[in-house]
Amino acid sequence: MLSVRGLAKRFPLAGTRRWWRGDEGLAVHAVNGVDLEARRGEALCVVGESGCGKSTLARLVARLIDPSAGEIHLDDQRIDTLHGRELWPLRQRVQMIFQNPYASLNPRMTVQQTLLEPVRLHRSSLSQSEAQEHIEQVMRSVGVDPSWGARYPHEFSGGQRQRISIARALSVSPELVIADEPISALDVSIQAQVLNVLMEAQASASLTYLFITHDLSVVEHFGDRVAVMYLGRICELAPARSLFSGARHPYTQALLSAIPRIRGQHQPQKLHGEVPTPVHSPSGCVFHGRCPLANARCREQIPVLRETQPGHTIACHAVEEGRD
Amino acid sequence: MGIAAQSRWWQPRWWQRWRSSPLGHSLGRDRIAQVALAVLLLMALAAVFAPVLAPFDPYDPRSIDIMNSELPPAWVDDADPQFVLGTDAQGRDLLSAILYGLRVSLLIGLCAVMLQALIGITVGLSAGYLGGRVDVILMRAADIQLSYSTMMVAIIVLAVFRTAFGAQLYSDLAVLMLILVIGIAEWPQYARTVRASVLAEKQKEYIDAAQVLGYGRLRIMFRHILPNALSPVFVISTVQVANAIISEASLSFLGLGMPVNRPSLGSLISSGFEYVFSGSWWMTVIPGLVLVVLVLVVNVLGDWLRDVLNPRLYKGS
């Protein structure tokens, strides 16, 4: 349904451009050639540490920002070249849920106004009472009491607000929902509740999710397939089960070993060094500076995603050569 | 009937809501703000009902008798009790002149601030939300405007207008000209304030959500950002009203404001000023006091409003 090819986003660093010398200056390479495909009805999770570009990827796909290179396709339509009015039909099909429930609702609008506005704009054929009925149905489906309509966002808790945000996204009946860390700002006790709301919505409306998170336990619970990102690139893309049982990329292995376990002897696999800055990306494989398996080829040649098992793709020279 | 029921009877719903809002709650505890608000309301009412309240009509030359000139206020010896605050050099009743002058000063102050707010909010909102080149051009224009002092712009414009179109047309259009000049000279204050709070609001995720929902630029700017960016505007508005009143008074004092036959507080102070040294102090001191009190209460209310609406204290709710 969603397919992303060679997607890249550079944020130029202000004050480093020397236009009189034809020098474009420095830039942060937030997303650096990402290939990704989400199938209809699945939950595709994107995981990675802070600053790896996963939120930028979400904002690119939601068309909040324009890509520097690459293509985004939704079904058969190329959407990264659309602008302004041309995006209007797309806005109904692709919706987004945000991280911070305290900032994602307009504080001066009641719940009713917040939910009614998109319905009235996107489905202008509905009468006032039909629109009202529609949003009440959406509110009930995400566990928001329709009697909350007259109240303002500050009267609700984080979990309640996040459910209102979800209702707003679902009110236009989208096909693809991009969720940018929707539960990481919530209490642990509320996280499961909101996650269940998202899963129920997926089952009842056959939604496709692009789910951005840094929480691997959520992925295990929620994701059908998982893409692991490091420094603006995807290093491993696999079905969730296959990733958790047999991750092969050295970075994914380190990431998985960092999940705390209660039982058994467990020694997390330590990585040395820091994440390089995305301003001066390393040559070759972006992970070579910290990888225990790196050799000369890793320092020079950029690895591409290759399928090792059906559905399980890895971008690593070491795995490809069988050095792992 | 119980006391609770009784107190509800004269407290309608809007009054209860006002009392429980942060503004109403704080006003209930702040004596100084209460006094300032009471004085301001009193002055505003006096200004609005000046034609009813004033014992004489200072705009009507027939009611003025030169024989009554320079009479002192009623509490001084050899005063005429008919003129409570005395008369000026032409024999005009000072109380009536002050009431009408207050009206002119408040009218000019409020209208000039509305004009400033209209220009400033539009410019600030566009600069802040659209960003990029629009932002650079608009804000440099604001900087240029600010680099000329209000008084300088006003004096040049008013003086040129008077020489070009003559004193008669000038005195007919004086109110309009003062509103335009003071309004246009001070818009950058609003533009900067609004731009700053628009930039802060623009970062928030509800604006991203509005964009993902496909709302148009104008809808996002005016329906989503503006209502959330307005509270600093209320705060600077009070200061700006006080400033505009002072600007008008200064211009009138310099002879570029309201003509003598339709005086504002400033022109009253100015025309009485020549007689201070001959002992007729009331002609300039009394309108001066009224001006000081007016500006003081507006500023006190502005300070109070700033404390209540302080975004840092207010954020949590």
Side-chain angles (χ1 to χ4, degrees):
Chain A
M1 159 164 209
L2 170 75
S3 117
V4 166
R5 284 175 218 149
L7 195 65
K9 178 68 186 173
R10 288 185 304 274
F11 294 106
L13 285 178
T16 59
R17 187 165 168 238
R18 303 279 178 271
W19 51 266
W20 58 91
R21 288 196 309 210
D23 178 357
E24 277 304 312
L26 300 173
V28 174
H29 299 268
V31 171
N32 207 350
V34 163
D35 297 302
L36 207 59
E37 207 136 321
R39 297 173 201 136
R40 192 171 284 278
E42 78 170 350
L44 173 63
C45 291
V46 178
V47 294
E49 58 197 283
S50 306
C52 71
K54 53 194 194 300
S55 283
T56 306
L57 178 66
R59 296 169 68 84
L60 283 167
V61 175
R63 295 292 284 108
L64 276 172
I65 48 180
D66 293 326
S68 315
E71 298 176 9
I72 308 168
H73 294 259
L74 194 67
D75 290 332
D76 298 326
Q77 193 189 10
R78 184 167 175 185
I79 62 169
D80 57 300
T81 48
L82 304 180
H83 284 282
R85 287 268 121 204
E86 301 160 354
L87 279 167
W88 179 247
L90 176 79
R91 295 303 189 190
Q92 198 223 312
R93 298 175 64 195
V94 180
Q95 273 306 307
M96 187 159 176
I97 301 165
F98 296 88
Q99 177 173 12
N100 182 354
Y102 293 90
S104 57
L105 296 170
N106 186 338
R108 304 267 162 163
M109 285 171 89
T110 62
V111 174
Q112 168 90 8
Q113 290 170 325
T114 300
L115 296 181
L116 209 49
E117 192 177 22
V119 177
R120 306 236 55 183
L121 287 172
H122 279 279
R123 300 182 154 197
S124 40
S125 61
L126 292 184
S127 72
Q128 176 82 39
S129 61
E130 283 169 334
Q132 180 66 35
E133 208 167 290
H134 175 72
I135 64 164
E136 279 180 13
Q137 189 191 330
V138 173
M139 281 160 104
R140 267 186 231 109
S141 75
V142 297
V144 172
D145 190 332
S147 69
W148 295 356
R151 290 157 69 182
Y152 285 90
H154 72 257
E155 300 175 49
F156 297 102
S157 70
Q160 289 170 329
R161 288 189 207 200
Q162 199 61 312
R163 278 183 277 148
I164 296 167
S165 304
I166 294 171
R168 176 179 57 193
L170 297 182
S171 68
V172 295
S173 316
E175 297 162 38
L176 171 67
V177 173
I178 302 156
D180 186 6
E181 309 213 18
I183 60 169
S184 57
L186 301 176
D187 260 18
V188 178
S189 56
I190 304 297
Q191 289 188 345
Q193 194 192 29
V194 170
L195 215 51
N196 285 337
V197 166
L198 288 172
M199 287 170 82
E200 277 162 30
Q202 183 185 26
S204 65
S206 66
L207 294 176
T208 309
Y209 279 118
L210 180 64
F211 196 93
I212 313 288
T213 182
H214 59 249
D215 189 342
L216 288 165
S217 49
V218 170
V219 175
E220 211 166 356
H221 185 61
F222 188 81
D224 296 316
R225 288 194 308 144
V226 188
V228 181
M229 268 185 96
Y230 181 78
L231 215 64
R233 285 175 185 282
I234 289 186
C235 48
E236 188 156 5
L237 175 61
R241 199 162 300 159
S242 143
L243 187 92
F244 281 95
S245 60
R248 294 189 65 193
H249 194 284
Y251 177 67
T252 318
Q253 286 175 348
L255 207 61
L256 290 177
S257 81
I259 303 176
R261 310 249 179 232
I262 296 171
R263 277 171 223 285
Q265 283 291 14
H266 176 67
Q267 199 61 45
Q269 183 185 332
K270 280 189 186 146
L271 285 178
H272 296 283
E274 292 274 324
V275 184
T277 75
V279 180
H280 305 283
S281 291
S283 60
C285 174
V286 283
F287 189 56
H288 78 245
R290 306 173 73 194
C291 180
L293 307 172
N295 65 6
R297 186 182 170 206
C298 297
R299 279 186 279 277
E300 280 154 23
Q301 199 181 339
I302 298 174
V304 291
L305 281 170
R306 277 182 217 281
E307 200 159 38
T308 54
Q309 292 157 31
H312 195 138
T313 54
I314 297 171
C316 179
H317 295 311
V319 171
E320 196 182 310
E321 293 166 8
R323 285 190 275 123
D324 60 329
Chain B
M1 200 191 286
I3 289 171
Q6 224 170 17
S7 68
R8 278 209 191 106
W9 170 76
W10 57 270
Q11 285 187 339
R13 235 184 105 68
W14 62 265
W15 174 253
Q16 286 170 11
R17 191 177 288 180
W18 158 251
R19 284 309 298 252
S20 60
S21 73
L23 271 183
H25 180 70
S26 156
L27 187 66
R29 296 192 311 176
D30 192 336
R31 286 276 152 218
I32 297 175
Q34 285 172 12
V35 172
L37 188 64
V39 172
L40 183 65
L41 284 178
L42 210 66
M43 290 178 116
L45 286 176
V48 171
F49 294 106
V52 186
L53 294 174
F56 298 91
D57 181 0
Y59 292 173
D60 181 9
R62 283 168 303 172
S63 76
I64 300 170
D65 186 350
I66 195 74
M67 296 307 287
N68 291 331
S69 67
E70 291 192 59
L71 288 173
W75 61 88
V76 181
D77 296 339
D78 58 75
D80 185 338
Q82 198 187 345
F83 305 107
V84 181
L85 297 178
T87 58
D88 68 3
Q90 280 97 45
R92 257 192 312 213
D93 176 38
L94 204 54
L95 176 63
S96 309
I98 287 175
L99 286 173
Y100 276 82
L102 199 59
R103 199 175 149 100
V104 173
S105 290
L106 277 174
L107 178 75
I108 292 175
L110 291 175
C111 290
V113 167
M114 276 194 260
L115 183 62
Q116 288 170 18
L118 189 72
I119 302 174
I121 288 174
T122 314
V123 169
L125 194 59
S126 317
Y129 183 67
L130 301 176
R133 220 159 273 174
V134 179
D135 185 25
V136 171
I137 292 170
L138 290 177
M139 291 331 281
R140 286 308 80 77
D143 289 344
I144 292 168
Q145 176 75 67
L146 272 184
S147 68
Y148 300 104
S149 80
T150 309
M151 287 318 262
M152 196 176 99
V153 175
I155 288 170
I156 293 172
V157 171
L158 292 176
V160 167
F161 184 82
R162 184 140 84 172
T163 355
F165 297 100
Q168 183 55 45
L169 188 63
Y170 179 81
S171 76
D172 290 344
L173 294 179
V175 175
L176 188 66
M177 285 303 293
L178 282 167
I179 290 173
L180 283 178
V181 164
I182 299 171
I184 289 170
E186 296 255 328
W187 65 265
Q189 308 283 355
Y190 276 96
R192 287 182 161 188
T193 313
V194 171
R195 175 176 173 270
S197 58
V198 166
L199 286 180
E201 289 301 318
K202 199 172 86 162
Q203 306 290 329
K204 295 192 180 162
E205 286 174 345
Y206 71 91
I207 300 303
D208 287 338
Q211 280 170 350
V212 171
L213 283 162
Y215 300 163
R217 271 181 188 171
L218 286 177
R219 175 177 283 269
I220 293 178
M221 279 163 71
F222 286 94
R223 220 174 118 66
H224 291 261
I225 295 185
L226 187 60
N228 289 297
L230 272 186
S231 57
V233 168
F234 290 128
V235 175
I236 62 165
S237 289
T238 55
V239 180
Q240 290 298 100
V241 168
N243 281 347
I245 291 172
I246 291 178
S247 298
E248 183 278 324
S250 315
L251 287 169
S252 297
F253 186 81
L254 294 173
L256 284 164
M258 294 302 293
V260 196
N261 56 352
R262 273 165 53 220
S264 68
L265 289 178
S267 30
L268 282 176
I269 297 169
S270 162
S271 58
F273 191 63
E274 299 157 34
Y275 299 89
V276 169
F277 296 108
S278 62
S280 308
W281 53 269
W282 58 89
M283 281 184 226
T284 194
V285 169
I286 296 176
L289 277 177
V290 173
L291 180 68
V292 167
V293 170
L294 177 63
V295 171
L296 184 70
V297 295
V298 172
N299 274 328
V300 166
L301 282 175
D303 275 357
W304 165 75
L305 207 58
R306 191 194 57 208
D307 289 347
V308 180
L309 296 182
N310 187 340
R312 253 177 264 159
L313 301 175
Y314 193 56
K315 222 178 200 167
S317 65

